[in-house]
Amino acid sequence: NAGVMQNPRHLVRRRGQEARLRCSPMKGHSHVYWYRQLPEEGLKFMVYLQKENIIDESGMPKERFSAEFPKEGPSILRIQQVVRGDSAAYFCASSTYRGPNYEQYFGPGTRLTVT
Amino acid sequence: KQEVTQIPAALSVPEGENLVLNCSFTDSAIYNLQWFRQDPGKGLTSLLLIQSSQREQTSGRLNASLDKSSGRSTLYIAASQPGDSATYLCGPRGSTLGRLYFGRGTQLTVWP
């Protein structure tokens, strides 16, 4: 059973370009979470999605950032017109609705560098 | 709003020592709490999950305790080894399928 997969693992973008980060949850998991880890800072929650629904986007910046988790395919975190401050590691986690633990499993992350 | 603090921020010890890593959180209304380790440049590996109704959870040389009412969890590492060197993060969770909250972690170095 493959774990949470993220690609690309490393992404370099110039200021003003778009970044697309992909996350494939563990098999059987229908809940996806995105977190961001800025240099020298802790992990910060961004958004929580179920298939075709955004459940909690309280951590998402209001502009330039969007996320989706379509019925088919991976979850996508999209950053438009990237700026240097977007340089960070972006982690995806997944969970199943079948309890009792609802443990979150993390992917290896995508390291975004904006030049 | 949930705030998580981990003490100490960094710890450097010789191998063989028994270690105590502390995590405190401001909102005691949690569903469960996960402990993770993060190696440099890598993702998070789940170590232990402790439910709000539990006081303790053990896995090998690791033992996590939870005092929900006082907003504290402790991770004990017995007989530390150089391979334990990593950053340790605790993540309390407010609801069954909700987000995790994180602090800055404890950076552990175990030297031979």
Side-chain angles (χ1 to χ4, degrees):
Chain A
N1 184 11
V4 178
M5 298 175 68
Q6 290 188 249
N7 65 80
R9 296 290 305 277
H10 300 274
L11 182 63
V12 180
R13 285 287 178 265
R14 292 183 178 176
R15 279 180 296 170
Q17 290 184 322
E18 178 179 289
R20 282 188 178 231
L21 288 61
R22 294 175 186 76
C23 169
S24 296
M26 287 181 69
K27 186 177 179 181
H29 287 195
S30 57
H31 299 260
V32 165
Y33 310 78
W34 286 93
Y35 297 84
R36 176 167 67 171
Q37 189 172 42
L38 291 163
E40 307 303 323
E41 291 191 21
L43 273 162
K44 303 292 184 188
F45 167 78
M46 299 183 75
V47 63
Y48 161 32
L49 310 104
Q50 293 180 32
K51 289 280 188 181
E52 300 184 281
N53 285 302
I54 297 175
I55 306 302
D56 180 0
E57 57 182 348
S58 59
M60 284 279 269
K62 297 299 181 195
E63 298 178 350
R64 302 188 296 109
F65 285 72
S66 62
E68 63 176 7
F69 189 16
K71 188 176 180 180
E72 301 291 337
S75 174
I76 306 286
L77 179 68
R78 182 182 178 204
I79 311 172
Q80 295 179 290
Q81 299 176 322
V82 296
V83 300
R84 288 219 170 106
D86 297 332
S87 294
Y90 292 82
F91 293 96
C92 166
S94 74
S95 183
T96 175
Y97 67 89
R98 295 188 180 91
N101 290 336
Y102 308 102
E103 190 167 355
Q104 285 192 17
Y105 296 88
F106 280 73
T110 293
R111 278 146 187 87
L112 172 66
T113 302
V114 179
T115 61
Chain B
K1 182 188 172 188
Q2 182 74 278
E3 301 283 348
V4 179
T5 303
Q6 289 189 246
I7 294 173
L11 188 58
S12 181
V13 299
E15 68 175 313
E17 289 207 356
N18 299 325
L19 307 175
V20 178
L21 280 59
N22 297 294
C23 168
S24 62
F25 44 95
T26 54
D27 186 350
S28 62
I30 64 168
Y31 179 76
N32 61 28
L33 183 146
Q34 282 184 255
W35 279 94
F36 299 88
R37 69 173 279 168
Q38 185 178 26
D39 293 281
K42 306 288 186 184
L44 276 67
T45 301
S46 183
L47 298 172
L48 287 165
L49 182 149
I50 184 163
Q51 294 285 12
S52 61
S53 58
Q54 294 178 307
R55 297 298 298 266
E56 237 178 76
Q57 190 67 258
T58 298
S59 176
R61 294 183 295 109
L62 304 178
N63 174 278
S65 68
L66 176 65
D67 184 345
K68 182 183 164 184
S69 60
S70 66
R72 292 179 188 172
S73 179
T74 302
L75 180 68
Y76 301 91
I77 304 176
S80 57
Q81 303 170 357
D84 295 330
S85 298
T87 296
Y88 289 79
L89 297 160
C90 74
R93 188 176 204 173
S95 60
T96 54
L97 285 161
R99 56 175 287 186
L100 296 174
Y101 294 83
F102 291 100
R104 303 280 294 267
T106 293
Q107 186 175 354
L108 172 65
T109 303
V110 182
W111 39 276

